[in-house]
Amino acid sequence: MQNLYIGTKPRKTGMMPGSLVFTGKRKMKNVSLEAFCYNQEEVRRIPLRSADEIPGLLQEDCRLWLNINGLHDSELIRRIGEIFGINPLFLEDILNTGQRPKAELGEDYMFYVLKMIRLAPKEDHLNIEQLSMIHGRNYLLTFQEVEGDLFDAVRQRLMKNIGRLRRAGTDYLAYALMDTVVDHYIVILDHLRDLLEPLDTEALDSNERRDLPSSVRSGKNQLILLRRFISPLREVLDTLQRDGDDLWDESMTPYLNDLRDHLRSVMDTIESYRENLSGVLELHLAVLSQKMNDVMRTLTVIATIFIPLTFAAGIYGMNFEFMPELKMRWGYYGFWGFCAAVALLMLAAFRWKKWL
């Protein structure tokens, strides 16, 4: 497993707060804007050519979901901020794609940052993208680094009038997007589980995977990365429940509590996987140590058997002229018989003591 996290350039220094400078690396050829203007009776999906079309949508009797794909056009982000009256500091955070997940209260809106995590097409690494959301009374703005996301199911529910999306306010739409992001964390963890579970078996066979420690370390790095991006979401929920009374209806409390339960389950799973990986590495090292002990024990037995044989061979290898056994007709064969008997007796003694 390899980890892919497209990072950001070093944070700009020496510039005024609220300066809109894109710090990410992902760029689209053309920024795209798509609006959903909806109420309980109807919904319209409207691709926009420019930000100048947005004020006309705000005058209509509908709730607005505006999705922006591509963040490198800072002037477009500035114009959208002017239309909705967004604090430049929040716009600056949108363009700084290395933000930690958070929630902050604006004048009459809330600002959220989440990390949208997907499997890359080959499913051998993670693709992490920053998702910024600005939630007002009758509108929701979502800012994504590139086109393509996890929200097709939400769009289908909105278009086909499935569930509460059209009847509820934009708070429910914001919840639906957050819930989709969190649900996909579970998909990611299921994928990691499928990759990590075989390591338990492979740890018992030291010859199966020579690169097992490297795989364990890679898995731990993946989990640390996930924990870093998922753990702050609990603070996000705390903030919106504490400060979002004007934007979040009281009826949303059970949904937010359910989202909190999902996050708790995700965090428990991450910690469980981390502990399991630590156990896999300890097991692997124990197996290697046991195998080394077996090798050393075998070598020790062989060396011990040859000690008396070497002693006998050393005596009869001396060059004294008057050694009584040197003139015996069967002396040579007797010597080998003596050596074989000693070796067999010592092997029997080792087996009796269960050293072999």
Side-chain angles (χ1 to χ4, degrees):
M1 286 184 303
Q2 295 179 348
N3 171 50
L4 173 64
Y5 172 58
I6 299 181
T8 61
K9 302 174 184 177
R11 186 173 177 85
K12 53 189 181 296
T13 58
M15 302 183 70
M16 293 178 57
S19 299
L20 302 187
V21 178
F22 177 60
T23 62
K25 292 184 178 180
R26 290 187 175 116
K27 291 186 178 182
M28 294 178 57
K29 184 176 181 180
N30 296 307
V31 177
S32 65
L33 294 86
E34 183 180 53
F36 286 86
C37 191
Y38 68 96
N39 53 37
Q40 189 169 350
E41 288 75 27
E42 63 176 354
V43 59
R44 289 186 297 144
R45 187 172 187 172
I46 310 168
L48 303 180
R49 292 184 296 271
S50 71
D52 294 333
E53 300 178 50
I54 298 174
L57 296 176
L58 293 176
Q59 296 176 2
E60 298 186 18
D61 183 20
C62 66
R63 302 182 185 94
L64 177 66
W65 174 19
L66 176 62
N67 184 60
I68 298 94
N69 294 314
L71 303 179
H72 63 275
D73 189 346
S74 58
E75 288 304 316
L76 174 63
I77 303 301
R78 186 193 309 276
R79 174 61 178 147
I80 293 174
E82 291 174 353
I83 292 172
F84 290 92
I86 307 301
N87 191 312
L89 292 176
F90 293 149
L91 300 178
E92 180 184 16
D93 288 343
I94 291 173
L95 297 182
N96 178 16
T97 56
Q99 283 292 323
R100 181 177 183 267
K102 64 179 181 178
E104 295 184 11
L105 180 64
E107 185 175 350
D108 56 357
Y109 55 85
M110 291 197 74
F111 172 62
Y112 316 112
V113 174
L114 299 85
K115 295 298 181 180
M116 189 163 51
I117 306 176
R118 292 174 288 174
L119 290 174
K122 295 183 179 180
E123 297 191 355
D124 59 351
H125 59 260
L126 301 180
N127 193 337
I128 302 175
E129 177 185 350
Q130 178 164 301
L131 171 67
S132 303
M133 303 168 58
I134 295 179
H135 169 211
R137 174 64 62 181
N138 289 313
Y139 67 86
L140 178 68
L141 310 181
T142 53
F143 299 83
Q144 303 181 44
E145 297 181 54
V146 293
E147 193 168 0
D149 53 36
L150 309 173
F151 306 135
D152 286 341
V154 177
R155 293 186 180 94
Q156 289 297 318
R157 286 159 54 193
L158 189 61
M159 296 297 295
K160 297 180 179 180
N161 197 16
I162 300 174
R164 298 186 56 203
L165 275 174
R166 285 201 204 170
R167 300 193 307 272
T170 53
D171 53 351
Y172 189 83
L173 177 59
Y175 156 77
L177 299 184
M178 291 182 183
D179 185 58
T180 301
V181 170
V182 173
D183 284 346
H184 211 72
Y185 294 157
I186 300 175
V187 174
I188 298 296
L189 288 175
D190 287 343
H191 173 74
L192 290 179
R193 180 196 60 199
D194 294 338
L195 295 178
L196 299 178
E197 278 186 345
L199 298 181
D200 283 324
T201 303
E202 293 170 3
L204 294 173
D205 188 351
S206 57
N207 294 322
E208 182 71 20
R209 286 281 299 273
R210 294 289 183 179
D211 62 339
L212 185 64
S214 176
S215 297
V216 170
R217 181 177 180 181
S218 177
K220 279 192 171 183
N221 288 340
Q222 296 274 21
L223 294 173
I224 291 172
L225 189 68
L226 290 174
R227 187 179 187 279
R228 191 174 76 194
F229 291 141
I230 295 174
S231 178
L233 290 181
R234 291 179 293 186
E235 300 174 17
V236 171
L237 293 179
D238 291 339
T239 300
L240 65 86
Q241 286 187 307
R242 182 181 65 247
D243 301 332
D245 292 341
D246 293 336
L247 296 172
W248 288 84
D249 190 84
E250 187 177 352
S251 63
M252 292 300 300
T253 299
Y255 296 97
L256 296 178
N257 289 337
D258 181 68
L259 189 57
R260 189 187 301 276
D261 290 340
H262 289 178
L263 281 174
R264 186 179 297 112
S265 175
V266 168
M267 292 304 302
D268 289 345
T269 302
I270 289 176
E271 292 304 319
S272 174
Y273 286 177
R274 289 181 63 189
E275 293 177 2
N276 183 61
L277 282 177
S278 297
V280 166
L281 187 58
E282 292 176 1
L283 177 61
H284 178 66
L285 294 177
V287 169
L288 290 180
S289 177
Q290 180 63 38
K291 184 176 182 180
M292 180 62 69
N293 289 339
D294 291 342
V295 172
M296 294 302 299
R297 181 169 56 184
T298 301
L299 294 177
T300 301
V301 167
I302 294 174
T304 304
I305 290 174
F306 273 89
I307 288 176
L309 305 185
T310 304
F311 173 75
I315 291 177
Y316 285 99
M318 293 186 295
N319 292 324
F320 292 110
E321 182 177 356
F322 301 103
M323 293 186 67
E325 290 85 359
L326 292 178
K327 302 298 183 180
M328 293 177 60
R329 180 178 180 86
W330 301 103
Y332 174 76
Y333 302 104
F335 172 77
W336 280 111
F338 169 78
C339 290
V342 170
L344 291 174
L345 286 173
M346 295 185 70
L347 283 173
F350 292 152
R351 291 296 296 272
W352 179 68
K353 289 183 173 292
K354 299 183 179 179
W355 291 352
L356 284 177

